[in-house]
Amino acid sequence: MSLPPLVEPAAELTVDEIRRYSRHLIIPDVGVTGQKRLKNARVLCVGAGGLGSPALMYLAAAGVGTLGIIDFDTVDESNLQRQIIHGVSDVGRSKAESAAASIREINPLVNVEIHNTALDRDNVREIFAQYDLIVDGTDNFATRYMVNDAAVLLGKPYVWGSIYRFDGQASVFWAEHGPCYRCLYPEPPPPGMVPSCAEGGVLGVLCASIGSIQVNEAIKLLAGIGEPLVGRLMVYDALEMSYRKIKVRKDPNCVLCGENATLTDLLEDYEDFCGAVSVEAQEAVVDATITAAELKEWQDVGKDIFLVDVREPAEYEIVRIPGATLIPKGEILSGEALSKLPQDRQIVLHCKSGVRSAEALAALKAAGFRDAVHVQGGVLSWIKQIDPSLPAY
Ligand SMILES: [Zn+2]
């Protein structure tokens, strides 16, 4: 499948540009028109890390006219093994600023737009709307699903890549012409199942292997050349040195891009959706987790507990566990609600699925509530195990 070019050509190339891009201009499939399209293109790179580094450098060198960089992080020494857009003198500096400086050095003709902020549900649409194409270099599931959802809702194509140890994957997701990320991965993996690169490691050069595939696909989409990686997943194994292409079909039942899509807006909380539990929360729940059945038993025998629902008021309105007092997680994390909690009763926390209550539990333990526990699976487990007549949401 070939697709029409994503971008109209710029009016002209300057003499400087003709000199600089001459090795592109003499490729018949690119030519002056293809280079003019790159000049007119606006590409956003989400993350200036492992994948973002090579992606930004090659996009800049190729002459993409406007490059957006979104990253809120700062350069750490442990990044330098793979994030080659940053150098020793950049340690401690904003990644977006550092990447922008490198791009100016590679190609001063590129207009760089810096978004020195975390991508979130409040800014993602506005930022994405300014670009023709997104290159996803994120390293966590919460942001990945948000990038996908925003791109589909805005009708934007995006080039996705992921890396772990010696394995890499890449694809182009564009719901108008093929599957989206949710068609391939409808559900995030359970928390703790897939270690991050920070936990499991990544071969530095793997970033270049996958990042360069992403740039290759970006250029093809912008200029309308070749066969884009739409509906196909590239799977790379650096140890075997094998590239495999797997067909990915659009899922007719995809909640986001399927025929009867039910997801028509961004999720309220992607961290919650992906069950991203912090290390503190993972430690806090050890020996401090009860099941919904145990909670019911405690209530039935009249154990002196103080049950706290850490969800939001709207969720409490929809469904609640009998006897629970609503204290949203934010008030516990800020310390504001600590005075509302009894010191002489055992505190039992719950939320919808057990993720937010684990975070709140970590805060309570740190504040000295040593015997506090949380309910595994939260309201959803309560409905399943104790009272299926309640509405799941
Ligand atoms: Zn889909």
Side-chain angles (χ1 to χ4, degrees), residues 148 152 175 178-184 250-251 254-258:
N148 180 71
V152 172
C180 79
Y181 181 74
R182 282 180 186 270
C183 295
L184 178 62
K250 196 174 179 75
D251 177 2
C254 177
V255 293
L256 186 65
C257 77

Side-chain angles (χ1 to χ4, degrees), residues 6 31 78 81 116 125 135 151 155 163 186 196 219 254 312 322 346 353 363:
L6 204 52
S78 67
Q81 158 260 17
N116 196 350
R125 282 171 193 262
V135 172
I163 45 173
S196 67
I219 289 173
C254 177
E312 296 303 311
Q346 181 166 25
S353 67

Side-chain angles (χ1 to χ4, degrees), residues 159-241:
V159 191
W160 168 80
S162 96
I163 45 173
Y164 179 69
R165 292 188 175 163
F166 296 99
D167 299 318
Q169 299 182 1
S171 192
V172 172
F173 294 115
W174 194 357
E176 245 171 76
H177 300 284
C180 79
Y181 181 74
R182 282 180 186 270
C183 295
L184 178 62
Y185 297 115
E187 296 267 332
M193 277 289 287
V194 179
S196 67
C197 289
E199 296 158 42
V202 59
L203 188 71
V205 70
L206 183 71
C207 301
S209 309
I210 299 300
S212 65
I213 291 175
Q214 290 181 279
V215 174
N216 187 64
E217 291 308 309
I219 289 173
K220 282 159 59 185
L221 290 166
L222 296 169
I225 53 177
E227 290 248 325
L229 203 54
V230 173
R232 293 176 300 158
L233 176 69
M234 175 65 85
V235 180
Y236 172 60
D237 180 333
L239 285 181
E240 272 189 23
M241 190 42 74

